[in-house]
Amino acid sequence: MSLESMIIKKYFNKNNQTPFKVIFKDGKVVDIGNGNPKFVIKVNDNIDKKLLLTSTSLALGEAYMDKKLDMESGDLYDVLDIVLGKLDTFDVNESALSKLIFTSTSKKNQKKEVTSHYDIGNNFYSLWLDETMSYSCAYFKNEDDTLYEAQINKIDHILKKLQLKEGMSLLDIGCGWGYLLIEAAKKYKVNGVGITLSEQQYLKFKERIKEENLEKYLTAELMDYRDLEKSKLKFDRVVSVGMLEHVGRDNYDLFFKNVDTVLKEQGLFLLHFISGRKENSGDPWIKKYIFPGGVIPSLREIISLGSEMNYYTLDVESLRRHYHKTLLCWYDNYKKNIDKISNMFDERFVRMWELYLSSCAASFNNGMIDLHQIVFSKGNNNTLEITRQHLYK
């Protein structure tokens, strides 16, 4: 019996399983589950046996990228929705992969890691993101919301949670292409600063500020969060959307310390981040190919850290199912534009990002990962809204 066959038998119960079929390169067929197969997987070549035992996800991910594994019928998402339900049982030898999993959290290295992802090219991201260029979980208030409408909903939801008033100051840490601050300036006339490590995001945000005639209200900065402490800046509100995942567990204290330095007393801090059920070092395939150095915090460690900093936890909301739907929209947009993307990158890259978007959607659907928004206040604040009604007006 081949190692690939042994792995299939190890992870999948033939009698209690969505039916699918695996065809091996020697013509052998393995049927899983009962009934008509929902999809058919082809094993075109041997998968690195040593790597399979070192990291199941890395071995299978690279096999798909190299077309050693492929789909004969069905959709990649459907496969991953089943496979990633077994992720907790996958083999991971962290000692053998220590250089990959535990990378430096220095300023220089983290800038390199972050820009390797976000500076791929604005033209690439514009093909499958919505018009706002929002690269984070959307908020689907209605079943038939478009991705654009859901991203506008998300920004509006966040701004309401921050309880903004005209003339307030707002810092966005990891501001991306800047749409959240643009909306904040338009709706609330706040003075905003957005910081990012991505040069392409920075340049696009500056361009948008000028296009919207918001130079009076907004500023874009190429800045590391570690430089906030010495910036002498002060803000009524701080928001960070989808950036904490790049900080690294060793630097959470440092991150909060820098936020605390610039946030005024009784100010609000909204933190939006992908979360894990418990502390984890991260998936080897994701860390090698998509988010080098990326770490997903657990909800409990972030709330605990806020409490240690004398921050009050005012609101916690899970948006896991919203991110599942967001990722399916991105995945669909990606597939619709795959010919254009194939003209920009080689086949291995195209398959890698297809795998990334579909696997993340499946991970959220399975509850392997979550998405949380936490609203903290710096110290006690009795002047805020006493209910959540303001969020739904």
Side-chain angles (χ1 to χ4, degrees), residues 172-197:
D172 188 350
I173 304 174
C175 63
W177 290 276
Y179 203 81
L180 184 148
L181 282 173
I182 288 170
E183 287 294 289
K186 284 181 175 180
K187 290 184 177 180
Y188 299 94
K189 291 185 170 56
V190 300
N191 299 300
V193 175
I195 67 172
T196 179
L197 292 177

Side-chain angles (χ1 to χ4, degrees), residues 53-57 87 90-95 97 101 282-284:
L53 297 174
T54 304
S55 170
T56 308
S57 69
L87 189 62
F90 279 12
D91 291 314
V92 181
N93 185 337
E94 291 193 353
S95 296
L97 298 168
I101 294 176
D283 177 72

Side-chain angles (χ1 to χ4, degrees), residues 60-120:
L60 296 179
E62 289 185 346
Y64 182 79
M65 289 163 59
D66 296 328
K67 298 188 75 171
K68 292 180 179 180
L69 283 178
D70 212 348
M71 301 290 299
E72 184 169 273
S73 67
D75 189 85
L76 181 61
Y77 167 78
D78 293 326
V79 177
L80 294 167
D81 197 32
I82 293 172
V83 171
L84 291 179
K86 315 290 184 180
L87 189 62
D88 280 345
T89 63
F90 279 12
D91 291 314
V92 181
N93 185 337
E94 291 193 353
S95 296
L97 298 168
S98 59
K99 290 183 179 180
L100 171 63
I101 294 176
F102 304 106
T103 58
S104 169
T105 56
S106 70
K107 183 186 293 188
K108 181 180 179 181
N109 189 61
Q110 287 195 320
K111 178 176 174 61
K112 179 182 176 182
E113 290 176 340
V114 167
T115 55
S116 73
H117 185 92
Y118 294 99
D119 281 350
I120 291 173

Side-chain angles (χ1 to χ4, degrees), residues 33 65 79 90 131 140-141 198 204 218 269 274 282:
M65 289 163 59
V79 177
F90 279 12
E131 300 94 309
F140 293 86
K141 292 171 67 173
S198 166
K204 182 63 177 179
L218 300 179
F269 173 35
I274 298 171

Side-chain angles (χ1 to χ4, degrees), residues 130-145:
D130 70 293
E131 300 94 309
T132 71
M133 291 289 283
S134 295
Y135 188 21
S136 56
C137 176
Y139 186 62
F140 293 86
K141 292 171 67 173
N142 306 293
E143 184 65 29
D144 58 351
D145 280 344

Side-chain angles (χ1 to χ4, degrees), residues 10-22:
K10 175 181 177 181
Y11 292 122
F12 301 101
N13 184 326
K14 285 192 174 185
N15 297 318
N16 184 25
Q17 177 67 57
T18 299
F20 65 92
K21 180 181 292 188
V22 182

Side-chain angles (χ1 to χ4, degrees), residues 72-277:
E72 184 169 273
S73 67
D75 189 85
L76 181 61
Y77 167 78
D78 293 326
V79 177
L80 294 167
D81 197 32
I82 293 172
V83 171
L84 291 179
K86 315 290 184 180
L87 189 62
D88 280 345
T89 63
F90 279 12
D91 291 314
V92 181
N93 185 337
E94 291 193 353
S95 296
L97 298 168
S98 59
K99 290 183 179 180
L100 171 63
I101 294 176
F102 304 106
T103 58
S104 169
T105 56
S106 70
K107 183 186 293 188
K108 181 180 179 181
N109 189 61
Q110 287 195 320
K111 178 176 174 61
K112 179 182 176 182
E113 290 176 340
V114 167
T115 55
S116 73
H117 185 92
Y118 294 99
D119 281 350
I120 291 173
N122 291 342
N123 290 337
F124 168 65
Y125 284 106
S126 67
L127 288 173
W128 49 274
L129 297 178
D130 70 293
E131 300 94 309
T132 71
M133 291 289 283
S134 295
Y135 188 21
S136 56
C137 176
Y139 186 62
F140 293 86
K141 292 171 67 173
N142 306 293
E143 184 65 29
D144 58 351
D145 280 344
T146 65
L147 177 60
Y148 170 77
E149 289 169 338
Q151 290 292 7
I152 294 295
N153 293 343
K154 183 268 299 294
I155 290 168
D156 184 56
H157 196 53
I158 287 174
L159 297 181
K160 285 180 176 177
K161 285 184 176 183
L162 289 169
Q163 300 187 40
L164 297 169
K165 293 181 175 59
E166 184 174 343
M168 280 186 171
S169 52
L170 171 63
L171 170 67
D172 188 350
I173 304 174
C175 63
W177 290 276
Y179 203 81
L180 184 148
L181 282 173
I182 288 170
E183 287 294 289
K186 284 181 175 180
K187 290 184 177 180
Y188 299 94
K189 291 185 170 56
V190 300
N191 299 300
V193 175
I195 67 172
T196 179
L197 292 177
S198 166
E199 293 190 16
Q200 295 208 26
Q201 290 181 341
Y202 162 73
L203 292 172
K204 182 63 177 179
F205 184 23
K206 285 187 70 174
E207 182 183 307
R208 281 176 147 182
I209 291 170
K210 189 173 182 180
E211 288 172 352
E212 298 283 354
N213 297 313
L214 292 172
E215 295 96 330
K216 176 183 174 183
Y217 294 100
L218 300 179
T219 304
E221 299 285 352
L222 266 176
M223 182 189 290
D224 191 290
Y225 74 87
R226 281 166 273 220
D227 295 326
L228 289 170
E229 188 176 8
K230 61 186 179 185
S231 70
K232 301 188 185 305
L233 296 169
K234 289 290 180 182
F235 298 91
D236 298 293
R237 303 288 189 262
V238 175
V239 63
S240 184
V241 178
M243 180 269 179
L244 185 63
E245 301 89 324
H246 300 291
V247 168
R249 185 158 281 117
D250 291 342
N251 283 355
Y252 293 158
D253 282 329
L254 182 62
F255 177 76
F256 263 84
K257 181 180 178 183
N258 275 268
V259 170
D260 188 61
T261 301
V262 297
L263 184 60
K264 297 177 183 178
E265 284 297 325
Q266 296 194 322
L268 298 186
F269 173 35
L270 186 144
L271 191 55
H272 169 124
F273 63 101
I274 298 171
S275 59
R277 291 175 310 202

